[in-house]
Amino acid sequence: MKNEMRLNFAAISENEIFARICASAFVLPLDPKVNDVTDIKTAVSEAVTNAIIHGYADADSDDKFVNMVCRYEDDTLYIEISDNGCGIEDIQLAKKPLYTSKPELERSGMGFTVMEAFMDDIEVISEKGKGTTVKMTKKLKL
Amino acid sequence: MKISFEISDKTLIVKIAGEIDHHTACEVKEAVNEQYTANNCKDIIFDLNGLVFMDSAGIGMLIGRYKQANMNGGEVYAEGISPEIERIFCLSGLNKIIKRCEITDSTEKDSDRKGVLN
């Protein structure tokens, strides 16, 4: 079975719950295991939060949107979360466990670590001043 | 997310139901700080029986509360962690700094609770 959905929403923290619930609802036709749903929700929450608090940290405009594409083919789920924000200068550093560019916000620096642990594969594409795209894949236990 | 407080001796009991993400973690942080300071508390117990989701924002928030209690000579305990949330606790090393306790009944006597904590 093949399916796809695209979502574009304002980069505000209220939409973190909206995004993860949409992603989990999208996989429901596959009758996924509870653990897999939790993993997907958590990984989406991390990526969307990063877009909101890091991608658009210094942006003044009202045109701050996060884009989410979810797609599955048989038992494999692909999720892409992108922003048009400031981009990540050093992706390796950003991925380092416990590293945070915003310690004053009580951030744990575990966002990418959680995405890596809960999904099978994660790819980060980023360009300074242009934005960031996080691509994640997970094979569901159906 | 719903948050409620109980104070027993100098222990602040924080009951959280719903989901902790970056958005709600900010609310939890502010509410706990206010109660902790206003009531001159020492230890903090998080009752997470009603918590259904937590991401890394919850890790940051709990580490923040651990630092706060520690500066005051207190400890942070957690109770009612579901298997899903347990994975986030293990992954982040929160297990090493947040102790576990059991609250069977919120109306139990202080002496009983102290017995569990010790």
Side-chain angles (χ1 to χ4, degrees):
Chain A
M1 186 160 59
K2 259 169 105 169
N3 196 1
E4 179 166 336
M5 71 101 157
R6 288 155 194 251
L7 203 64
N8 195 243
F9 53 89
I12 55 172
S13 61
E14 284 83 351
N15 282 337
E16 291 155 4
I17 186 166
F18 169 69
R20 65 178 179 264
I21 287 186
C22 286
S24 64
F26 175 71
V27 296
L28 279 187
L30 298 172
D31 196 18
K33 300 273 184 288
V34 177
N35 266 356
D36 279 347
V37 175
T38 305
D39 291 357
I40 294 161
K41 282 175 75 176
T42 313
V44 165
S45 200
E46 300 295 349
V48 170
T49 303
N50 277 351
I52 294 169
I53 66 172
H54 298 290
Y56 291 117
D58 306 316
D60 281 334
S61 85
D62 288 334
D63 194 31
K64 297 191 283 185
F65 280 81
V66 180
N67 204 54
M68 178 163 84
V69 180
C70 297
R71 187 166 53 239
Y72 59 75
E73 199 171 335
D74 301 325
D75 60 352
T76 307
L77 174 72
Y78 306 88
I79 301 178
E80 255 184 61
I81 290 162
S82 50
D83 64 67
N84 302 308
C86 63
I88 303 168
E89 212 160 325
D90 186 341
I91 294 174
Q92 285 319 310
L93 180 66
K95 279 181 160 181
K96 215 174 127 191
L98 304 176
Y99 170 79
T100 175
S101 57
K102 297 194 185 304
E104 71 281 6
L105 292 184
E106 282 194 354
R107 302 293 303 161
S108 63
M110 293 296 285
F112 279 120
T113 309
V114 169
M115 288 182 245
E116 280 167 349
F118 287 13
M119 302 296 275
D120 295 338
D121 191 52
I122 155 174
E123 186 189 353
V124 183
I125 301 150
S126 192
E127 196 179 335
K128 213 167 177 274
K130 291 268 172 72
T132 300
T133 299
V134 177
K135 295 182 178 185
M136 301 182 280
T137 310
K138 189 177 181 68
K139 207 172 170 69
L140 306 174
K141 294 168 209 76
L142 301 177
Chain B
M1 191 272 303
K2 278 200 180 118
I3 184 163
S4 58
F5 298 97
E6 231 180 276
I7 290 148
S8 158
D9 199 0
K10 283 198 157 193
T11 300
L12 179 64
I13 302 157
V14 186
K15 198 170 180 172
I16 302 174
E19 313 205 352
I20 301 182
D21 58 11
H22 152 247
H23 181 73
T24 54
C26 300
E27 294 173 17
V28 174
K29 174 190 168 183
E30 280 167 25
V32 172
N33 280 355
E34 195 188 309
Q35 292 288 331
Y36 188 82
T37 313
N39 296 292
N40 196 21
C41 296
K42 194 169 159 248
D43 295 333
I44 305 174
I45 299 177
F46 283 94
D47 177 350
L48 304 179
N49 279 294
L51 189 68
V52 293
F53 175 86
M54 185 176 105
D55 65 14
S56 76
I59 303 172
M61 186 279 294
L62 287 170
I63 293 173
R65 306 293 68 70
Y66 168 78
K67 286 181 182 165
Q68 183 179 26
N70 232 252
M71 276 169 58
N72 235 357
E75 296 277 1
V76 175
Y77 301 86
E79 197 262 342
I81 299 167
S82 71
E84 286 83 29
I85 290 158
E86 182 72 44
R87 292 178 59 208
I88 280 270
F89 264 72
C90 291
L91 183 70
S92 60
L94 269 183
N95 277 342
K96 293 183 184 129
I97 59 167
I98 310 276
K99 297 178 177 166
R100 301 307 166 89
C101 69
E102 274 174 47
I103 311 168
T104 43
D105 180 356
S106 62
T107 57
E108 72 186 323
K109 290 188 186 78
D110 289 352
S111 54
D112 293 342
R113 177 166 292 134
K114 275 176 190 153
V116 172
L117 293 182
N118 294 332

